[in-house]
């Protein structure tokens, strides 16, 4: 029902996206690897870990975003994959060389850390 609206917003996705309304448990692990990016909401921690672990098996970096809302509040948890690179801004119109996230911590590992044990968040 929402897929035509998504494709209207971004015509480049036409025929390349899949909006699944089936339960996550009914989808095999290799289902997720076919996509460059997986965006999911209203997942349990176990379901998020399962998808994360299946995407890690791919040699290509896969983007995994978990979102949820709580009334007016919302959150997103992003895993850019182990091959993600970025550049730092080092001045006006100047960027650093490509950098990798070191150490790369998987979403599955992140979800295992109790929030009260997280240090240096801000």
């Amino acid at each position: 029902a929402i897929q035509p609206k998504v494709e209207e917003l971004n015509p480049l996705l036409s025929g390349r996206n899949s909006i699944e309304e089936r339960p996550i448990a009914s989808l095999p692990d290799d289902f997720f690897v076919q996509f460059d990016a997986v965006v999911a909401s209203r997942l349990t921690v176990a379901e998020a870990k399962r998808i994360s672990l299946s995407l890690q098996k791919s040699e290509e970096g896969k983007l995994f975003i978990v979102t949820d809302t709580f009334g007016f509040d919302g959150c997103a948890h992003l895993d850019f994959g182990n091959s993600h690179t970025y550049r730092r801004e080092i001045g006006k119109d100047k960027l650093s060389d490509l950098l990798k996230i070191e150490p790369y911590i998987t979403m599955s590992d992140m979800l295992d850390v109790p929030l009260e044990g997280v240090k240096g968040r801000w």
Side-chain angles (χ1 to χ4, degrees), residues 88-107:
R88 282 202 172 123
E89 186 175 342
I90 54 176
K92 184 175 169 117
D93 299 325
K94 293 181 184 177
L95 299 174
S96 71
D97 293 332
L98 282 175
L99 303 169
K100 285 192 72 142
I101 297 174
E102 296 291 341
Y104 169 69
I105 301 171
T106 66
M107 182 178 295

Side-chain angles (χ1 to χ4, degrees), residues 3 7 10-18 34-35:
Q3 190 160 354
E7 291 178 358
N10 188 345
L12 297 174
L13 292 176
S14 183
R16 297 185 62 218
N17 65 352
S18 174
Q34 68 181 311
F35 302 104

Side-chain angles (χ1 to χ4, degrees), residues 26-122:
S26 71
L27 300 172
D29 287 350
D30 62 349
F31 172 81
F32 306 105
V33 179
Q34 68 181 311
F35 302 104
D36 294 331
V38 175
V39 180
S41 63
R42 307 197 61 120
L43 296 180
T44 65
V45 171
E47 290 169 335
K49 285 182 178 182
R50 179 177 158 239
I51 294 171
S52 175
L53 290 171
S54 67
L55 293 175
Q56 288 172 35
K57 294 175 186 171
S58 170
E59 292 184 21
E60 307 162 0
K62 303 287 184 173
L63 172 64
F64 182 36
I65 301 173
V66 178
T67 65
D68 213 333
T69 58
F70 314 94
F72 287 119
D73 296 324
C75 67
H77 194 108
L78 291 81
D79 182 350
F80 291 105
N82 62 356
S83 63
H84 178 70
T85 57
Y86 66 99
R87 295 178 190 264
R88 282 202 172 123
E89 186 175 342
I90 54 176
K92 184 175 169 117
D93 299 325
K94 293 181 184 177
L95 299 174
S96 71
D97 293 332
L98 282 175
L99 303 169
K100 285 192 72 142
I101 297 174
E102 296 291 341
Y104 169 69
I105 301 171
T106 66
M107 182 178 295
S108 179
D109 290 340
M110 285 185 249
L111 292 172
D112 285 337
V113 176
L115 288 179
E116 68 269 6
V118 177
K119 294 182 175 47
R121 306 184 271 190
W122 319 111

